[in-house]
Amino acid sequence: MESPDAAPDPLLSSAFDPEAFRQAGHRLVDRLAGYLQNCRERRLPVLSWEEPDAAARYWTSCLERSEAGQNAPLDQILEEFIERSFHNHHPRNLGHQVGVSLPAAALTTFAAAVIDSGGGVYEVGLAATAMERAVVQSLGRTFGLPEGADGVLTSGGSLGTLHALLAARQLGSAHDAWAAGNSGAETVLASTVSHYCVERSVRMMGLGSQGILPLPSDPFGRVFPEALPRVVDEARKLARDPIALVANACTTATGVFDPLTEIGEFCKKEGIRLHVDAAHGGAAAFSATHRHRLAGIGGADSVVLDLHKMCLTPTVVTALLFARGEDSFRVFTQQADYLWRSEDDQQWFNMARRTVECTQPLFAPRVFAILAGFGPQLIERCVDRTFALAQDFAGLLREQPDFELLLQPESNIVCYRYAPQGLSPVQLDALNSEVRRALVRDGQFYIVETSWSGRRWLRSALMNPCAARSDLEALLDEIRGVARLAVRQA
């Protein structure tokens, strides 16, 4: 065995050399600044399509060369990674609900990755742990939650939803599932258009397919509050215990908001915990113009907000907030002497007590840099701009005789389709799906598609405040072009 006092290993020494890191870092920041400029000026496509197997073969060959002793320079690895990636900052990325990250917040992510201390216990989390406390309390005030609200930052809305429903089971039922396992009677109420993570969480909790009861909704996915008593009565007649109701703010597919005030009043009356999935639309709370969409959210028992959507935070950071801060300690109750002494201590500063993760990234600096360095007004401007772009896009679509708008948007999500005359509904479905596939392979625009009322629709989430009306006009022209080509080739 090599003695610790032996001369430093040359490979280890060079790999951790501060000067080499400094030089590589300067080169990388210069490269990324140019990349952001190219995205902003639309000098590159949104993506350069490559078949999955071909992409895997390329990166596998790189590792095989390294295994043979032919290591790739870091600059080359980073260059290839940037070039072959999806360009989320491109203004013509109009697809998924992943926002653009603020460059300043990306730098805090870089710094946190270098420090890399983890955030499970305060002794190693230190600054990031205290930052997280400040961030979640600030978010609680933004949502109008009661004094004493608290929460955690975690890895995405799916994990936040699971955590919230675990809390609902533990706090909303007389049965102690943490100690005794499932009773087999717990049920979660949610609309059929809730994000798939709700059903996935219910199944992960061991509640099975009967663990979720659908809530009636209007043609665009808003829950009918007047139907709630009937659903709850039916559940109780079946000996099911409604432990939580999940409301949407907003829905993923169509971007509409549930009537939270009426739902909250019903849940309070019936003793059912209200969880609001505000992963996407929760950012409207920062906007004086649009926060009315969230009226009633202050009465929720728990709220999830994805900060990597419209809050300019690098992916992926989710805030899970509880109206009563002590609720966040009731989910995971167990002994871990090497981390903390007692399973009953409510120590806000030992985050692993309240999250699924033990070792977790330092999330808080990413959010703190935005709120402290630019103020909540920056998020407000982003929300106002992207919501306004959606309204502008909807107006533009209404002016086109060969396009159809599903509904007037309530957020920055727009559903529409190319609908020239003379085609049957089935033909229109096939044509719009083919349009979307052609756009992906061309790479100049990126959109997604969804199914609604049995029909296929194109869907755009306007996440980039640097996008412009000219981008939307160009998208419609591009759709027409690829659609006409597809019809000729059919």
Side-chain angles (χ1 to χ4, degrees), residues 110-435:
F110 181 29
V114 174
I115 293 172
D116 202 32
S117 59
V121 294
Y122 178 71
E123 292 173 1
V124 295
L126 293 178
T129 301
M131 282 177 163
E132 182 166 338
R133 176 74 161 180
V135 164
V136 296
Q137 290 185 339
S138 175
L139 293 173
R141 293 190 294 272
T142 299
F143 280 118
L145 294 175
E147 184 177 356
D150 200 359
V152 296
L153 301 180
T154 190
S155 301
S158 294
L159 198 57
T161 297
L162 173 62
H163 189 161
L165 294 182
L166 286 169
R169 181 177 64 179
Q170 197 67 11
L171 295 162
S173 172
H175 177 74
D176 185 355
W178 184 253
N182 290 325
S183 69
E186 297 94 346
T187 294
V188 173
L189 310 177
S191 75
T192 56
V193 297
S194 293
H195 191 271
Y196 71 84
C197 72
V198 176
E199 181 179 354
R200 180 175 289 183
S201 295
V202 167
R203 290 176 180 269
M204 289 172 66
M205 291 164 63
L207 303 183
S209 61
Q210 300 302 311
I212 186 166
L213 285 180
L215 297 174
S217 57
D218 73 12
F220 300 116
R222 299 180 196 88
V223 166
F224 284 126
E226 57 271 23
L228 297 179
R230 174 177 57 79
V231 175
V232 171
D233 286 345
E234 290 175 357
R236 289 171 175 162
K237 287 177 183 177
L238 294 171
R240 308 293 295 183
D241 180 14
I243 57 172
L245 187 152
V246 179
N248 296 305
C250 53
T251 60
T252 300
T254 58
V256 300
F257 291 77
D258 281 338
L260 301 180
T261 299
E262 294 90 336
I263 293 173
E265 290 171 352
F266 172 80
C267 288
K268 185 175 181 179
K269 176 184 174 182
E270 294 293 327
I272 299 171
R273 288 180 65 88
L274 172 61
H275 172 67
V276 177
D277 179 358
H280 182 84
F286 287 92
S287 169
T289 303
H290 298 289
R291 67 169 62 105
H292 69 278
R293 299 287 186 189
L294 298 167
I297 198 169
D301 294 288
S302 57
V303 177
V304 159
L305 168 67
D306 279 354
L307 292 151
H308 54 273
K309 286 189 165 64
M310 285 187 287
C311 296
L312 304 171
T313 306
T315 305
V316 54
V317 183
T318 292
L320 170 60
L321 307 175
F322 289 94
R324 293 165 293 280
E326 62 269 19
D327 288 357
S328 65
F329 293 91
R330 296 285 300 278
V331 183
F332 310 110
T333 305
Q334 60 195 119
Q335 189 75 24
D337 290 336
Y338 57 92
L339 293 177
W340 51 77
R341 292 186 178 181
S342 170
E343 65 179 74
D344 296 321
D345 291 339
Q346 293 192 1
Q347 299 174 331
W348 66 263
F349 46 83
N350 285 325
M351 305 308 296
R353 293 293 309 275
R354 298 190 286 164
T355 63
V356 174
E357 307 108 316
C358 179
T359 303
Q360 58 182 239
L362 302 180
F363 296 120
R366 309 179 202 178
V367 191
F368 193 90
I370 298 169
L371 295 177
F374 296 84
Q377 296 83 4
L378 181 64
I379 300 176
E380 179 178 31
R381 300 284 177 83
C382 180
V383 170
D384 289 350
R385 170 66 178 166
T386 55
F387 276 44
L389 278 170
Q391 294 298 321
D392 200 20
F393 192 24
L396 183 62
L397 286 161
R398 289 188 186 279
E399 295 170 0
Q400 315 303 312
D402 52 349
F403 278 87
E404 183 179 354
L405 180 69
L406 176 61
L407 76 160
Q408 189 66 25
E410 293 184 1
S411 62
N412 58 339
I413 296 172
V414 185
C415 296
Y416 55 99
R417 63 178 178 172
Y418 184 57
Q421 292 183 356
L423 297 181
S424 70
V426 173
Q427 289 173 318
L428 286 177
D429 287 347
L431 178 59
N432 279 273
S433 291
E434 179 54 36
V435 163

